[in-house]
């Protein structure tokens, strides 16, 4: 049974070699080289062109090569077959490493010390204990829960916000529209790990950023976004930085990627840019994971991590 690889912005040849090596009895086809879609039962995708998957008459399962599936969900012709997302333990660990790194960098004022080093200044900055700093995590899925656990271990006062109620040890949990403002009001460092859905599109705007706590040792709130670029209104982030609502930001994701050379984020003194690398999965693990899912499906066993499309992601 054939597998179609529909992959953009990644090394597609490498994926063909990987799947061919691990599934020697499978017919592996690569878009756009393949023009015959008959017999394709499985589609492995990263940012596939809209309408492509609807052309696969025998399609049974779609697999996203990333934890996020928003690029596929935006396809109005997406076939009504199971869509499986990646859940990679190593990805979770890597995301938590990145989140903890950025939280500590802002909490310990590393950007200030970097500037002092450039200017050959010997000076200190206010340094409260971690338990005096409110870290708020938007998105309490697998990634958010793991990051919260590690930040609690470092002593931070951690809260979380999600669309539906959650109950997590050591985390002050808020949910829904009614819980958003109280959550923001006790947050000094905002970590965004939300999926991109119609409800979260452009959610991180000037109004939301204005609700964060600014009376802190950093001289304003901090935004850390490793969710999706579409969550943020980038002009509003720049405005919040200019007006003092934000004292700093770390952004791993952007509306347009790669980030254009003319973007002011590249040179902004209060912004740290990372090129969508907060949590990159091991390609060999992804290949093995997908092939195992296919074997289970063909044996009549249930698929894991199927997207609930009624939730919008």
């Amino acid at each position: 049974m054939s597998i179609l690889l529909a992959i953009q912005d990644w090394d597609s040849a490498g994926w063909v070699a990987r799947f061919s090596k691990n599934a020697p009895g499978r017919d592996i086809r690569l878009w756009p080289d393949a023009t015959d879609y008959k017999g394709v039962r499985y589609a492995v995708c990263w940012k596939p062109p809209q309408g492509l998957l609807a052309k696969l008459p025998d399609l049974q399962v779609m697999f996203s090569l990333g934890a996020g599936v928003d690029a596929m969900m935006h396809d109005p012709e997406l076939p009504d077959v199971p869509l499986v997302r990646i859940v990679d333990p190593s990805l979770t660990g890597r995301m938590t490493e990145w989140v903890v790194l950025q939280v500590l960098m802002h909490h310990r004022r590393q950007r200030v010390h970097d500037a002092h080093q450039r200017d050959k200044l010997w000076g200190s900055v206010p340094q409260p204990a971690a338990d005096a700093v409110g870290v708020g995590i938007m998105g309490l899925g697998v990634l958010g829960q793991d990051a919260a656990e590690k930040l609690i271990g470092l002593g931070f006062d951690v809260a979380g916000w999600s669309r539906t109620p959650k109950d997590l040890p050591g985390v002050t949990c808020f949910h829904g529209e009614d819980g958003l403002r109280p959550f923001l009001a006790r947050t000094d460092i905002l970590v965004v790990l939300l999926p991109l859905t119609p409800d979260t599109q452009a959610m991180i705007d000037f109004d939301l950023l204005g609700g964060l706590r600014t009376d802190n040792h950093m001289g304003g709130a901090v935004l850390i976004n490793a969710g999706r670029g579409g969550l943020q209104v980038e002009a509003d982030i720049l405005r919040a930085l200019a007006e003092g609502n934000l004292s700093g930001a770390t952004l791993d994701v952007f509306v347009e990627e790669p980030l254009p050379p003319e973007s002011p984020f590249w040179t902004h003194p209060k912004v740290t840019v990372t090129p969508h690398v907060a949590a990159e999965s091991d390609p060999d693990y992804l290949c093995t994971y997908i092939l195992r899912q296919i074997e289970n499906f063909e044996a009549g066993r249930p698929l894991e991590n199927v997207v609930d499309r009624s939730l919008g992601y």
Side-chain angles (χ1 to χ4, degrees), residues 2 28 50 118 146 255:
S2 298
I28 309 298
Q50 291 194 355
R118 287 192 296 270
D146 193 71
V255 174

Side-chain angles (χ1 to χ4, degrees), residues 153-168:
L154 289 170
F156 288 101
D157 180 15
V158 179
W161 180 88
S162 54
R163 292 191 308 161
T164 57
K166 302 278 187 179
D167 185 10
L168 304 175

